[in-house]
Amino acid sequence: YDLEKVLEGAEKEKAYLLLEILTPIVKTYPAEAGIVSVSNALQVFGGYGFTMDFDAQQYYREIRIMSIYEGTTGIQSMDLLGRKVTMQSGKAWQMLVTEIGLTIQESQKDESLQPYGKACQEALDRLQKVLQYLQSYAKKGEVELYMADANLFMEYCGLLTVSWQWLKQAIIAQQALRKNGMPEKQRDFYFSKLETMKFYFKYDLPKTSALAISMLHPDKITLKKEREILM
């Protein structure tokens, strides 16, 4: 946001386009992931989790509104797929793809990060395939089919975007850990960044495979009319 205000020319446009494409993702992912996070906190307390003895139960009730007052996940998803992906003939989307690609290229310079960069690239390529498939409907004027799984598309984009950000942090953390004379507390900080990145790539990024399968599935069950279902 700040860069878009102060830059000029091509750099200003780049910042503007990235801001536009990332805004619905940035609003939606934390809202949905936050609900899951606080729900897991309740689970840690066991049977006591939903009692007044602990604040977690209050946090859960309060965070549930996040995915509603941020424009609702459904609206943000339609904004992303219906408006932001298509704006300026896909220029904003391509800008985001390019930025992710640059980070992936940087990760390949470090042997220990190469598997994670490749995993991010595979997820990006898979999403491009999904988008190409969905756009085939849009080109035929079948807008409902194009937008039917907008929520799934948003979820995929959220997982990929956060993976990209973790990969960027991992690159910096790995470079920092190679320096000598770093205080132990600071070293622990960078080490934790790497470990969290690895956790995310093991448990969250793989979810994109299932999302892609659903979006590429030929059965458009959510758009079937009653007669079609009965038949």
Side-chain angles (χ1 to χ4, degrees), residues 20-184:
E20 287 294 302
I21 195 76
L22 285 171
T23 293
I25 301 173
V26 169
K27 284 186 174 182
T28 302
Y29 180 86
E32 293 290 350
I35 295 170
V36 175
S37 180
V38 179
S39 178
N40 287 339
L42 285 176
Q43 201 75 13
V44 170
F45 288 113
Y48 278 109
F50 216 67
T51 67
M52 299 296 289
D53 295 2
F54 299 99
D55 292 335
Q57 49 80 27
Q58 180 181 343
Y59 297 155
Y60 186 70
R61 290 198 298 270
E62 291 175 348
I63 202 169
R64 185 59 189 85
I65 199 174
M66 283 288 291
S67 65
I68 300 173
Y69 74 58
E70 280 295 347
T72 80
T73 293
I75 296 298
Q76 296 294 347
S77 300
M78 288 189 286
D79 176 52
L80 175 64
L81 185 57
R83 294 176 58 202
K84 301 306 172 58
V85 168
T86 60
M87 72 181 298
Q88 295 190 24
S89 300
K91 192 172 183 179
W93 174 257
Q94 191 54 52
M95 195 76 72
L96 176 60
V97 170
T98 299
E99 289 297 308
I100 296 174
L102 290 173
T103 301
I104 293 171
Q105 288 179 21
E106 184 68 20
S107 73
Q108 297 309 286
K109 298 176 183 178
D110 190 309
E111 187 175 354
S112 66
L113 296 179
Q114 286 178 3
Y116 304 99
K118 290 178 180 177
C120 196
Q121 183 66 60
E122 289 172 0
L124 179 59
D125 292 342
R126 194 161 51 239
L127 184 56
Q128 289 284 68
K129 180 182 177 181
V130 168
L131 183 57
Q132 186 177 21
Y133 171 75
L134 295 178
Q135 287 177 334
S136 68
Y137 289 114
K139 291 175 181 177
K140 293 183 290 185
E142 298 176 323
V143 180
E144 285 190 342
L145 287 173
Y146 171 66
M147 296 292 293
D149 289 324
N151 276 32
L152 299 186
F153 186 83
M154 170 63 83
E155 186 176 352
Y156 196 126
C157 287
L159 292 166
L160 177 60
T161 301
V162 175
S163 298
W164 165 43
Q165 292 301 302
W166 273 119
L167 190 60
K168 290 183 72 172
Q169 293 181 69
I171 293 169
I172 295 172
Q174 194 70 281
Q175 293 171 349
L177 288 170
R178 291 199 171 92
K179 297 178 181 179
N180 297 322
M182 183 183 297
E184 185 176 355

